[in-house]
Amino acid sequence: MGATVALTLVMTAPVLASRSEPGSDDCQNSAALTADEARVCANFHNMVEDARRLDAEAVLDHFWSDGFTAALAGELIRDFPGWADGYRSLLATTESLDRVDFPDVVVQTIAPGTILLLNTYDQLIVMQSQDVIEATGYGTQVWVRRDGEWRIIHIAGE
């Protein structure tokens, strides 16, 4: 589970995100967004800022725990409490954010109350152990609206 949490840290955007350049986590198709898509894009940006502050609880508040799934590093995860504990532990051992960019972020409605967010990332994170995590790739999030609130129900990454 530890390796999967580490990979989650670098691939799905509820990660240690720092804006290395203006707009590095903005949705590319922002001019054509529906109101719901714009809300998800804003929530994504807020989650990035929460992660930048190393605020694990604020990041995790962007997820629905009921029905949560993740497909990461070849592993299917259905245990939100266990995954969240691993995320908290990993975030607590992070020293610095040297580079975390999301150069491509696109949102698209795929069904009423369901929006897909796709992103690419380029990240360099230094852990307190002085280990360095450097990765590039893509992540996928499925955002679901319940009682008027948008949160993540599923994450996946390469």
Side-chain angles (χ1 to χ4, degrees), residues 25 44 47-48 56 68 73 79 91 115 128 132 138 147 152-153:
D25 63 352
F44 171 76
M47 184 174 58
V48 167
F68 169 83
D79 174 23
L91 206 61
I115 292 177
Q128 290 174 356
V132 174
Y138 66 89
D147 299 324
I152 299 167
I153 193 73

Side-chain angles (χ1 to χ4, degrees), residues 14 16 20 33 46 77 88 91 94 101 109 121 142 144 154-155:
L16 303 177
S20 298
L33 297 180
N46 292 339
I77 302 165
R88 286 183 193 99
L91 206 61
T94 299
D101 291 321
T109 300
Y121 61 85
V142 178
V144 172
H154 176 78
I155 56 175

Side-chain angles (χ1 to χ4, degrees), residues 13-19 25-27 38-63 87 102 105 117 141 143 150 152:
V15 295
L16 303 177
S18 166
R19 297 188 80 172
D25 63 352
D26 293 336
C27 294
R39 178 73 274 170
V40 166
C41 188
N43 287 356
F44 171 76
H45 173 76
N46 292 339
M47 184 174 58
V48 167
E49 293 302 315
D50 293 339
R52 182 176 182 213
R53 291 189 314 275
L54 303 179
D55 187 342
E57 295 312 311
V59 170
L60 293 170
D61 195 41
H62 291 276
F63 289 80
Y87 182 79
F102 299 97
V105 179
L117 185 145
Q141 303 169 4
W143 291 73
W150 287 97
I152 299 167

Side-chain angles (χ1 to χ4, degrees), residues 89-158:
S89 295
L90 190 60
L91 206 61
T93 62
T94 299
E95 179 71 28
S96 66
L97 315 172
D98 290 359
R99 181 183 70 245
V100 182
D101 291 321
F102 299 97
D104 300 305
V105 179
V106 177
V107 295
Q108 179 177 340
T109 300
I110 57 174
T114 306
I115 292 177
L116 183 67
L117 185 145
L118 305 171
N119 66 275
T120 59
Y121 61 85
D122 180 16
Q123 303 182 358
L124 178 75
I125 301 166
V126 179
M127 306 306 291
Q128 290 174 356
S129 65
Q130 298 308 303
D131 288 340
V132 174
I133 300 172
E134 186 169 11
T136 59
Y138 66 89
T140 302
Q141 303 169 4
V142 178
W143 291 73
V144 172
R145 181 178 53 211
R146 294 181 184 163
D147 299 324
E149 190 173 346
W150 287 97
R151 292 187 189 190
I152 299 167
I153 193 73
H154 176 78
I155 56 175
E158 63 177 318

